Amino acid sequence: MTIKEIFDTMDYGPAPESAAEALQWIADRDGNAGHYIGGKWGPIRDDFPTNNPATGDKLAGVTKGTAEEIETAVAAARKAQPAWAKSGHKRARVLYAIARLMQKHARLLAVMESLDNGKPIRESRDIDVPLAIRHFYHHAGFAQLMDSELPEREPLGVCGQIIPWNFPLLMLAWKIAPALAMGNTVVLKPAEYTPMTAMIFAEICAQAGVPPGVVNIVTGDGDTGAALVNADVDKIAFTGSTEVGRKIREATAGSGKALSLELGGKSPYIVFEDADIDSAVEGLVDAIWFNQGQVCCAGSRLLVQEGIAEAFYAKLKSRMDGLRIGDPLDKCIDIGAIVDPAQLDQISKMVSANTEGETYQTKAPEGCFYPPTLITGLSPASTLMQEEIFGPVLAATTFRTPAEAVQIANNTRYGLAASVWSENINLALDIAPKLAAGIVWINGTNMMDAAAGFGGVRESGFGREGGWEGLAGYTRAKGTTKALKPIAPYTTKDGTPADPLDRTAKLYIGGKQARPDGGYSKPVYSPKGKLLGDVSVANRKDLRNAVEAMNGAKSWAKTTGHLRAQILYYIAENLSARSEELAKRIKDMTGKSGQDEVDYCIGTLFTFAAWADKYDGQAHGVPIRGVALAMKEPVGNMTVFCDDGWPLLGMISPMAAAMAMGNRITLVASEPFPLMIAEMYQLLETSDVPGGVVNILTGDHSELAPHAAAHMDIDAVWSFSGADISAVIEKGSAGNLKRTWVNYGKQIEPSATDMLAAATEVKNIWIPYGE
Ligand code: NDP
């Protein structure tokens, strides 16, 4: 036998990990899993089983949490929160102790995770558990630094957290560590298929000195999750399907509960012809076969440059043939069991329903296993290229040019992650900013770390987990907010014009004055009842036209911060030159001196002009030979319902923040004092603002709000309006999961950096170094 033959025929012997300790751990607890509330265990019942998917054997009985049990847990968290929030240093010590104890019990956690979820022990031992531990260490540091580095922020209070089954312990860590670090207390619901490592974690909390009530775990199913969403919590943090994420967005609309959603994805894996092909093939093993493809950021859409496609597929198939699939507790196994027969059924059905392209599948053992699958020759619009399969199935297509690669990559409703493979770093770094994704990996995949934010855009949800950017989701600006007093427009009895000249202000769309589609206008009176002029009443068609105009101005996002600053300074200069006239106009409408407001507007424009080229991203120190660049990108098309009480500032302030960061914006002017629109478009026309970057509508906020919220081409809606539209906006936003920032009827006075943060998305671009 030649050495080559020996190598070719060599096989792996079994290297089984023992399940004995983990099974004994369960037996010692009477074979059941259940709630940990207020530092105590119980109630614990055998309401439904959690099984080992690799064998189908029951692992433990699980308690299905009721609404009352959720309430008890929330009450315990509420009681514990004020004391927990007091000392960052004490929190740091406790988080550090959790990390140490997790390290001590790392093997038990890893084995339990593989038993409960079916993932290979190699992954739970080397990835899930170490990353979870790292999260607690890293956030112990954030707890320590909160007072000095985030002096303007305070905890939200009680956070309800709902996690999925694909990374049970890791998702628990991603949720609990930042919440605790920032002084919140939590009620966490693990997934019904995989509650076991959360049970070990609860015991670790007790040992680590977590005060009773700070961490509460309530097991259960979707109903238990829904009860948590409806409970008296200050935030819901959710990871799971886009469908349930949408339901939660609707259920929490108008409640004032903070929300972060980390949802599904259909992440592109782009291979250029100059890529290191062997590395790119090996990367795919991680991208789509890691955790049996049950990964929200799985590189499930392969886009290969046409010239290398056949050779690439051939290498990929040969690598697939070498993947070992079977017992998750065998250390030689690459691919374990699918989490549950229901999920297996879903994957099988989706693949069998496909009639396009060519399917290549390797073999899988009997039971809850699915073979690694490659489907080539799919069109970008085919179901398997568009829908999340959440299994070990790779859908592939080809592209010709970099521009086409970007186009196909972005042809999805999701926007979680993307991989770009090319040995030409210039090309890779040119593509990365063009991809609609929260995370981009250059020549790599599935790189994650506590120091770098993780999260998506579009229907992959909003909010980040990890890094400085992740802390924002667990804090709010300090200070109390007052209820907003609605301002009624002035009316008249006689209707005598204050000025005999006709002053009917049109709408401002795409850099031009536009008559309203409906052909209606309404009068605006002074406090003394004199007619000041008429404004147009915009309807949903005018809003649509404004969106078209914003779409036409997308190149604004590519301008430099320096240029945007120049234009904002120019607006300030023009505003300053007309300061008296504008102040008088404000006075005519409101009866109050407008000079302070005009001066404040000039200052605001200067502030955002200053920030335009200084609101920098970060280079995160992640533990790889490389860097994760946290780049700040514009959110996109924004619509803002302006503060009623400030006819000019209400428009200038969000406009300047949005423009500074490269967004396009449609302002809906103050409802009682809308006449300022005429001054605004004169200002914009004389200040080199490109058409479509800023559009202004006047009209009824309540009428326009549902249309803005539901529009699929608007990426963010803000409301500082006195109209009661917060709930309508949040509910309507569930359609494309756009970002919302609403006032819930309160007077909010955001800082410049709060506004800049809301006007940007952080994209983490991972760039490994080395040959
Ligand atoms: P879900 O979104 O249903 O589950 C995620 C979590 O939410 C679980 O804890 C679940 O409980 C809970 N939940 C379910 N319904 C509600 C509700 N109405 N209100 C509040 N909480 C609720 O995902 P599934 O586990 O059902 O998986 C379905 C599909 O979702 C997968 O096939 C996959 O495509 C996708 N998915 C995406 C994930 C991601 O990370 N992006 C993670 C998991 C799934 P319970 O476990 O009892 O259902």
Side-chain angles (χ1 to χ4, degrees):
M1 209 179 214
T2 64
I3 292 185
K4 183 175 183 306
E5 280 166 347
I6 293 173
F7 268 113
D8 286 347
T9 53
M10 237 175 17
D11 204 359
Y12 286 80
E17 174 79 30
S18 166
E21 289 214 14
L23 295 175
Q24 188 60 48
W25 191 93
I26 299 171
D28 289 347
R29 283 145 191 89
D30 297 330
N32 290 326
H35 314 329
Y36 178 73
I37 298 175
K40 296 200 181 78
W41 285 100
I44 296 184
R45 301 177 293 266
D46 183 0
D47 292 332
F48 60 82
T50 178
N51 298 331
N52 174 349
T55 59
D57 297 340
K58 177 175 171 180
L59 259 189
V62 184
T63 316
K64 175 173 154 64
T66 63
E68 292 74 45
E69 287 158 2
I70 286 280
E71 266 176 39
T72 311
V74 171
R78 182 72 63 202
K79 192 166 159 222
Q81 198 269 329
W84 178 246
K86 271 195 183 132
S87 163
H89 176 62
K90 279 195 187 145
R91 295 199 299 276
R93 291 176 76 110
V94 171
L95 287 170
Y96 175 76
I98 293 176
R100 296 277 291 153
L101 281 161
M102 284 173 80
Q103 253 171 340
K104 243 188 236 180
H105 298 294
R107 205 65 168 206
L108 175 64
L109 286 164
V111 175
M112 190 69 90
E113 199 74 311
S114 286
L115 282 174
D116 205 10
N117 168 281
K119 59 175 72 205
I121 184 74
R122 205 168 51 83
E123 291 178 6
S124 48
R125 183 197 59 196
D126 299 346
I127 299 170
D128 294 53
V129 174
L131 274 179
I133 293 168
R134 158 108 178 113
H135 228 75
F136 279 98
Y137 275 126
H138 192 73
H139 283 83
F142 280 136
Q144 177 71 25
L145 295 177
M146 184 177 179
D147 288 348
S148 64
E149 301 309 307
L150 302 167
E152 308 296 328
R153 310 290 295 177
E154 63 183 14
L156 296 172
V158 176
C159 300
Q161 308 186 312
I162 301 170
I163 56 171
W165 42 259
N166 53 348
F167 293 93
L169 184 71
L170 187 56
M171 289 302 107
L172 172 151
W174 282 19
K175 296 275 179 290
I176 292 186
L180 259 47
M182 295 295 104
N184 303 279
T185 53
V186 304
V187 177
L188 176 126
K189 189 202 86 69
E192 112 187 51
Y193 295 153
T194 55
M196 297 314 295
T197 42
M199 302 292 100
I200 304 177
F201 180 80
E203 283 201 357
I204 286 177
C205 285
Q207 289 170 32
V210 175
V214 168
V215 172
N216 304 277
I217 294 179
V218 178
T219 55
D221 61 5
D223 294 341
T224 315
L228 182 52
V229 169
N230 293 325
D232 175 29
V233 293
D234 302 295
K235 164 169 178 136
I236 291 292
F238 173 80
T239 299
S241 61
T242 296
E243 188 196 343
V244 174
R246 248 194 263 286
K247 279 192 203 159
I248 294 178
R249 171 66 292 181
E250 287 179 357
T252 55
S255 66
K257 288 174 193 167
L259 181 63
S260 58
L261 298 176
E262 201 274 271
L263 309 174
K266 192 76 190 174
S267 300
Y269 189 98
I270 308 169
V271 184
F272 286 99
E273 58 194 6
D274 64 352
D276 172 346
I277 304 292
D278 291 321
S279 298
V281 167
E282 206 50 42
L284 264 174
V285 175
D286 268 346
I288 186 64
W289 293 302
F290 171 55
N291 202 25
Q292 296 69 247
Q294 305 165 126
V295 182
C296 51
C297 57
S300 52
R301 268 190 311 147
L302 169 64
L303 317 183
V304 199
Q305 199 155 13
E306 208 171 67
I308 56 158
E310 287 315 313
F312 189 84
Y313 293 153
K315 281 204 173 198
L316 182 56
K317 287 175 188 170
S318 130
R319 182 65 183 92
M320 285 167 73
D321 294 339
L323 289 170
R324 295 171 301 269
I325 171 165
D327 177 10
L329 285 188
D330 184 336
K331 297 185 202 83
C332 298
I333 283 299
D334 297 310
I335 298 182
I338 299 296
V339 70
D340 188 84
Q343 182 67 16
L344 180 69
D345 192 44
Q346 185 177 317
I347 300 167
S348 313
K349 278 194 182 133
M350 280 186 86
V351 175
S352 339
N354 173 57
T355 50
E356 277 185 60
E358 276 176 41
T359 303
Y360 183 80
Q361 256 181 353
T362 65
K363 297 234 170 334
E366 284 295 300
C368 204
F369 295 90
Y370 196 84
T373 303
L374 167 71
I375 307 178
T376 51
L378 290 171
S379 68
S382 82
T383 309
L384 294 190
M385 285 295 271
Q386 290 293 329
E387 300 299 325
E388 190 175 38
I389 305 171
F390 229 64
V393 182
L394 178 63
T397 193
T398 57
F399 67 88
R400 287 187 180 164
T401 61
E404 196 191 0
V406 171
Q407 203 180 24
I408 301 175
N410 289 344
N411 179 12
T412 164
R413 60 198 172 102
Y414 296 113
L416 189 50
S419 285
V420 181
W421 289 80
S422 167
E423 288 299 285
N424 178 352
I425 193 72
N426 294 326
L427 173 68
L429 291 181
D430 181 49
I431 298 292
K434 294 177 181 162
L435 296 171
I439 309 136
V440 178
W441 296 297
I442 308 285
N443 294 324
T445 187
N446 277 343
M447 290 181 266
M448 298 163 202
D449 183 58
F454 184 97
V457 295
R458 297 179 171 177
E459 292 186 33
S460 294
F462 43 77
R464 294 287 177 269
E465 294 185 311
W468 287 99
E469 58 261 38
L471 303 180
Y474 285 99
T475 59
R476 68 171 149 240
K478 277 184 180 162
T480 49
T481 45
K482 285 187 288 190
L484 199 61
K485 280 202 200 114
I487 305 171
Y490 294 112
T491 53
T492 188
K493 287 200 182 78
D494 63 6
T496 320
D499 179 343
L501 283 182
D502 175 28
R503 290 194 54 118
T504 303
K506 297 201 185 81
L507 307 174
Y508 185 64
I509 297 175
K512 296 193 185 79
Q513 297 176 35
R515 281 184 207 290
D517 169 86
Y520 286 102
S521 1
K522 69 174 182 186
V524 181
Y525 298 105
S526 75
K528 292 202 171 130
K530 295 283 177 200
L531 181 68
L532 295 173
D534 288 89
V535 286
S536 306
V537 180
N539 65 17
R540 67 194 156 86
K541 292 191 188 157
D542 299 304
L543 179 68
R544 274 192 233 152
N545 291 342
V547 175
E548 281 310 305
M550 291 195 283
N551 282 341
K554 280 190 176 157
S555 55
W556 179 249
K558 294 186 196 140
T559 54
T560 61
H562 174 69
L563 177 101
R564 298 194 294 267
Q566 299 304 299
I567 291 181
L568 288 169
Y569 281 127
Y570 196 19
I571 302 174
E573 193 185 316
N574 285 330
L575 207 157
S576 177
R578 300 179 53 198
S579 156
E580 273 178 36
E581 183 195 334
L582 289 165
K584 178 174 178 305
R585 195 92 184 116
I586 294 172
K587 186 154 191 255
D588 287 348
M589 276 194 292
T590 64
K592 288 179 276 181
S593 158
Q595 195 56 53
D596 286 352
E597 184 172 342
V598 172
D599 291 344
Y600 202 78
C601 285
I602 297 168
T604 300
L605 284 161
F606 264 66
T607 299
F608 287 111
W611 274 119
D613 57 359
K614 295 177 193 66
Y615 191 61
D616 294 330
Q618 283 179 314
H620 288 310
V622 286
I624 60 164
R625 248 184 96 214
V627 69
L629 295 181
M631 311 284 284
K632 296 202 166 132
E633 296 191 341
V635 170
N637 289 343
M638 296 173 51
T639 297
V640 177
F641 291 88
C642 298
D643 192 329
D644 286 333
W646 302 93
L648 186 62
L649 183 63
M651 288 194 267
I652 291 285
S653 171
M655 179 198 80
M659 281 178 74
M661 295 296 100
N663 299 281
R664 288 78 60 194
I665 188 165
T666 296
L667 300 162
V668 186
S670 157
E671 203 172 312
F673 308 129
L675 259 187
M676 223 58 206
I677 184 173
E679 276 68 22
M680 275 294 281
Y681 54 63
Q682 284 164 14
L683 265 181
L684 298 172
E685 277 165 1
T686 50
S687 305
D688 292 348
V689 177
V693 172
V694 181
N695 307 279
I696 313 176
L697 305 180
T698 46
D700 189 328
H701 288 192
S702 305
E703 165 78 27
L704 290 169
H707 301 296
H711 200 298
M712 298 302 269
D713 249 357
I714 295 177
D715 304 295
V717 178
W718 297 357
S719 173
F720 306 110
S721 168
D724 183 14
I725 53 176
S726 296
V728 165
I729 291 174
E730 289 191 331
K731 195 159 192 178
S733 72
N736 70 345
L737 290 165
K738 57 176 65 68
R739 287 176 70 176
T740 56
W741 185 17
V742 296
N743 61 0
Y744 306 109
K746 302 256 173 68
Q747 180 73 53
I748 50 174
E749 285 163 17
S751 67
T753 44
D754 286 343
M755 295 188 92
L756 293 167
T760 45
E761 296 278 10
V762 179
K763 176 186 276 178
N764 272 282
I765 304 178
W766 289 68
I767 311 164
Y769 308 150
E771 279 292 300

